[in-house]
Amino acid sequence: MLGNFSYHNPTKLYFGKGAVSYLAEELPKYGKNVQLIYGSGSIKKNGIYDSVVAALKACGKNIVEDGGVMPNPTVEKLREGVDIARRNGVDLLLAVGGGSCCDYAKAVSVSVHCGEDPWDKYYLRFEEPECEIVPVGCVLTMAGTGSEMNGGAVITNHAQKLKIGHVFGDEVMPKFSILDPTYTFSLPKRQMAAGIYDIFSHICEQYFSGEDDNTSDYIAEALMKSVIKSSLDAMEDPENYEARSNIMWTATWALNTLIAKGKTTDWMVHMLGQAAGAYTDATHGMTLAAVSLPYYRYICPYGLPKFARFAKEVWGVSGAGKTDAQIAEEGLRAMENWMRSLGLAMSLSELGATVDMAEGIADATLILDGGYKALTRDEIVQIIKQSM
Ligand code: NZQ
Ligand code: ZN
């Protein structure tokens, strides 16, 4: 049964080859000063920077440079971005990059006119913004997080060994996002694989919760099948437009809140992965891959019918003459084989974590109770050790 819900997504998307031309429609809606947010320089090598700057200049914008946003953006960088926005009276934050740039832009947007420290207010106290919010637009260059059409903004505090996401409301979500699948062609294969696994994990997090027969779970299964098929095609030929466009579109739908509507959700893989990320600063999708199978094998007995359904519907496992436990394990083995074929990290040790970090990672893990088993701290330590 679907529970009651309301659904509204305010982000306008422009999808396809050459979609950057739609900046000409969007930019005139905002004031003159545009903070151009980007990462460590990939957009300067692949030409995306030049296309965006040309569009900004054609619209007569004053460009305020804000490069150097690192993967897993830090609280120090956030404070720097806020300072840049304040000094330049910025009217629009334009993120050109992956989830890190989009998340960072949203975190800056709620902090420019806020008198308090953003880390304390939004990430430790989880308060909502009461101040004026600077609008955000995105030009996406990496598919994975769904940040282009959601209110999530994940920030890392290395001093406190915490990586925390705040999901802001409609008013913080990007006003528009430009999604050109060809912009993802230049991604290194390892980043592409990490993004693909992030997409798959977002769908699993919303799927592995509740026993009911609902539309959201059917949509989730279709999205999973699409990303599995396209991932194999894209690994073989990174410039396969069909595959890259399917991956980009699936990423957006995997986390724009649609498939969570009317049902409960889990999100423990992300809680474990984020805590491990705070200790290792490893790529987000890789941390998720490293903890997923130990976690799913642990909770499988508590949600057996769903894991058996996952095996049959997503991985094509035949159920004839088998118990649900056998079917479920076959499904998880198929998932494991797929993950290995993408070259994903299969352990936290590969990402630089050591067993002596297990207790600390467990302490940094936010425990949620929407999945098939509300974990105790001891169980979390056990799963983290199994992920090493
Ligand atoms: O720094 P640049 O030059 O941009 O290079 C990036 C970076 O090194 C590179 N890259 C991106 N597009 C490229 C490219 N390289 C070549 N060609 C391109 N077209 O890829 C690297 C990773 O980029 P990043 O933005 O960090 O990756 P991703 O999109 O995976 O974002 C990760 C961040 O998003 C958060 C994660 O925790 C992490 O901090 N998440 C945000 C979510 C949300 N808003 O809802 C949900 C997710 O679960 C996730 O937690
Ligand atoms: Zn994720």
Side-chain angles (χ1 to χ4, degrees):
M1 188 192 78
L2 282 170
N4 296 4
F5 60 86
S6 66
Y7 183 64
H8 172 240
N9 193 313
T11 303
K12 181 161 186 178
L13 301 178
Y14 296 94
F15 190 96
K17 278 181 200 168
V20 73
S21 65
Y22 288 99
L23 279 177
E25 273 186 30
E26 289 296 327
L27 292 176
K29 297 177 187 169
Y30 305 94
K32 198 169 171 57
N33 298 328
V34 179
Q35 188 159 333
L36 179 55
I37 291 168
Y38 55 97
S40 59
S42 63
I43 63 164
K44 291 198 171 160
K45 290 192 201 118
N46 56 25
I48 298 172
Y49 176 87
D50 291 340
S51 306
V52 172
V53 165
L56 287 164
K57 285 189 175 157
C59 291
K61 300 296 180 185
N62 173 32
I63 300 170
V64 178
E65 287 269 338
D66 183 9
V69 177
M70 62 292 287
N72 311 317
T74 62
V75 67
E76 290 80 13
K77 178 65 190 163
L78 167 59
R79 291 182 186 128
E80 186 187 307
V82 170
D83 186 51
I84 294 171
R86 284 182 185 157
R87 279 190 284 111
N88 293 281
V90 156
D91 302 300
L92 174 70
L93 298 156
L94 184 62
V96 186
S100 293
C101 289
C102 300
D103 279 23
Y104 166 85
K106 287 179 245 176
V108 172
S109 81
V110 293
S111 308
V112 179
H113 299 290
C114 172
E116 295 165 81
D117 181 72
W119 176 257
D120 292 349
K121 182 176 174 66
Y122 300 123
Y123 293 92
L124 293 182
R125 299 202 301 272
F126 280 97
E127 290 172 11
E128 295 310 318
E130 290 118 26
C131 56
E132 183 191 332
I133 294 162
V134 181
V136 170
C138 294
V139 177
L140 196 66
T141 66
M142 160 152 180
T145 64
S147 187
E148 65 277 12
M149 204 185 191
N150 71 36
V154 183
I155 296 294
T156 298
N157 186 321
H158 288 297
Q160 296 180 11
K161 288 214 172 347
L162 291 172
K163 180 177 185 187
I164 299 179
H166 188 128
V167 182
F168 292 101
D170 283 6
E171 63 292 347
V172 183
M173 289 167 64
K175 301 290 176 221
F176 63 89
S177 286
I178 306 280
L179 276 61
D180 181 339
T182 66
Y183 278 14
T184 66
F185 284 179
S186 56
L187 263 175
K189 263 194 179 174
R190 191 176 156 81
Q191 285 297 340
M192 173 172 78
I196 287 167
Y197 192 72
D198 193 22
I199 301 167
F200 190 79
S201 177
H202 293 157
I203 306 168
C204 288
E205 299 274 29
Q206 297 163 91
Y207 180 76
F208 286 121
S209 178
E211 298 290 346
D212 295 323
D213 179 22
N214 66 55
T215 303
S216 294
D217 288 340
Y218 290 107
I219 301 173
E221 284 163 356
L223 292 174
M224 285 193 265
K225 286 197 265 195
S226 172
V227 79
I228 293 164
K229 158 92 174 62
S230 299
S231 69
L232 301 172
D233 295 343
M235 285 308 276
E236 205 170 295
D237 173 14
E239 301 209 359
N240 177 329
Y241 183 81
E242 186 175 65
R244 297 310 284 263
S245 56
N246 283 334
I247 291 168
M248 196 170 217
W249 194 219
T250 307
T252 303
W253 284 99
L255 199 51
N256 69 0
T257 77
L258 177 89
I259 62 166
K261 290 301 167 195
K263 70 183 301 276
T264 55
T265 55
D266 182 0
W267 291 106
M268 274 315 295
V269 167
H270 271 67
M271 295 306 105
L272 290 159
Q274 267 174 219
Y279 274 73
T280 59
D281 203 26
T283 300
H284 173 65
M286 293 298 178
T287 63
L288 305 176
V291 300
S292 283
L293 286 164
Y295 173 69
Y296 285 134
R297 290 204 162 103
Y298 189 82
I299 62 155
C300 181
Y302 302 95
L304 201 50
K306 196 59 162 286
F307 279 91
R309 170 175 164 176
F310 171 68
K312 289 193 258 187
E313 298 300 329
V314 177
W315 298 102
V317 172
S318 133
K322 295 173 199 159
T323 64
D324 270 4
Q326 288 167 329
I327 298 166
E329 177 49 31
E330 258 189 63
L332 290 175
R333 269 207 308 274
M335 175 172 158
E336 181 171 350
N337 290 339
W338 170 68
M339 292 169 73
R340 289 188 189 279
S341 76
L342 295 183
L344 294 165
M346 301 305 285
S347 73
L348 288 175
S349 325
E350 286 169 56
L351 302 174
T354 46
V355 177
D356 58 294
M357 291 178 186
E359 300 280 337
I361 295 175
D363 287 335
T365 303
L366 197 63
I367 304 182
L368 305 174
D369 61 2
Y372 292 122
K373 164 91 176 70
L375 299 178
T376 63
R377 188 183 172 282
D378 285 351
E379 288 172 316
I380 292 197
V381 174
Q382 193 183 322
I383 290 167
I384 290 165
K385 285 188 175 161
Q386 278 165 3
S387 307
M388 291 289 177

